Amino acid sequence: MIYIFPKAIKPEICETIINDLITQDLEPAMVGIDDFSRDDPRVRKTSVYFVPTDKNKKVNQIAWNYLKEANRAMFNYDLTYFQGLQFAQYQDGGFYDWHIDSYVQNDPNKTRKLSLSLSLSDPNTFEGGELEFYNGGRPIEEQNDKTGEQIKKDLKSRGTIAVFDSRDWHRVKPVVKGVRYSIVCWATGADFK
């Protein structure tokens, strides 16, 4: 299930977010489970950074508000914690192969339940880099009477926010030209039962 807010964030705000974050000295984020972190170029080729909450409160608030709104509208999950944002930059063939965001943690009350992706780049400035969801070989599920093609277009549009179940398989296809910037984050809660 995907809940999409097409073009929810104005282009000038997206540009401000990009310019602000690329000038900060951000800590790199790696794929990790508990204490094990790795970056495997066969799985992911991208630059991803932690966004400090103390310097970027507005961006964090925007993401958290959209996560809560999508949760009320579609998912109705018990959410207790908001994980900090990550800023991603895909270029020169950058991609993130099929994966899920949910994983078992030491704390059963901090299971990732919802994922958020905010597309910051103007789609005319890059090629490739599509956010895709695996739906068992079936067409992408329809939302608000939109076709699968319209959903794909919405997902690539600047300022669009997608909120989805963290157990859903998804990927970012390789960027073949330009740079794709995005924000990702997660909301957690008690284990699914």
Side-chain angles (χ1 to χ4, degrees):
M1 292 190 297
I2 310 162
Y3 197 87
I4 301 173
F5 299 93
K7 301 179 184 177
I9 308 301
K10 294 180 181 178
E12 57 271 17
I13 294 174
C14 292
E15 195 64 32
T16 299
I17 292 169
I18 292 170
N19 291 332
D20 183 47
L21 292 176
I22 62 175
T23 60
Q24 292 184 37
D25 185 24
L26 301 175
E27 177 187 348
M30 295 196 308
V31 176
I33 299 174
D34 296 325
D35 295 327
F36 174 72
S37 292
R38 63 180 164 79
D39 255 339
D40 186 341
R42 296 169 298 175
V43 176
R44 180 177 87 165
K45 179 187 172 193
T46 186
S47 299
V48 182
Y49 304 93
F50 291 110
V51 177
T53 55
D54 57 336
K55 294 182 182 176
N56 303 280
K57 289 181 182 176
K58 185 170 180 130
V59 179
N60 279 275
Q61 288 171 340
I62 289 170
W64 184 231
N65 287 335
Y66 279 100
L67 274 167
K68 290 191 295 188
E69 186 175 337
N71 189 47
R72 279 192 299 272
M74 179 179 271
F75 302 97
N76 296 309
Y77 293 159
D78 178 24
L79 303 177
T80 56
Y81 180 72
F82 171 63
Q83 291 184 312
L85 303 181
Q86 292 183 5
F87 176 58
Q89 176 182 351
Y90 294 85
Q91 63 185 0
D92 301 325
F95 72 98
Y96 196 166
D97 208 356
W98 291 111
H99 66 284
I100 59 173
D101 295 334
S102 185
Y103 58 89
V104 177
Q105 296 193 32
N106 292 332
D107 185 344
N109 292 313
K110 289 189 178 177
T111 298
R112 283 184 179 171
K113 291 186 167 185
L114 288 181
S115 299
L116 176 143
S117 178
L118 163 57
S119 179
L120 295 171
S121 296
D122 179 338
N124 296 316
T125 64
F126 69 98
E127 291 179 20
E130 294 86 359
L131 172 62
E132 292 186 335
F133 293 86
Y134 181 72
N135 198 18
R138 299 182 301 274
I140 192 167
E141 62 185 22
E142 295 184 7
Q143 177 186 332
N144 301 327
D145 300 321
K146 292 183 179 181
T147 66
E149 287 305 312
Q150 181 61 46
I151 290 172
K152 289 177 186 178
K153 184 177 178 183
D154 286 344
L155 287 172
K156 196 166 181 178
S157 296
R158 185 178 219 178
T160 292
I161 294 173
V163 178
F164 52 96
D165 188 304
S166 296
R167 299 170 294 181
D168 288 347
W169 286 90
H170 58 286
R171 71 176 175 180
V172 175
K173 292 179 70 176
V175 170
V176 295
K177 180 180 176 187
V179 182
R180 176 189 185 267
Y181 294 104
S182 64
I183 291 284
V184 294
C185 63
W186 305 271
T188 68
D191 281 346
F192 290 103
K193 295 182 180 179

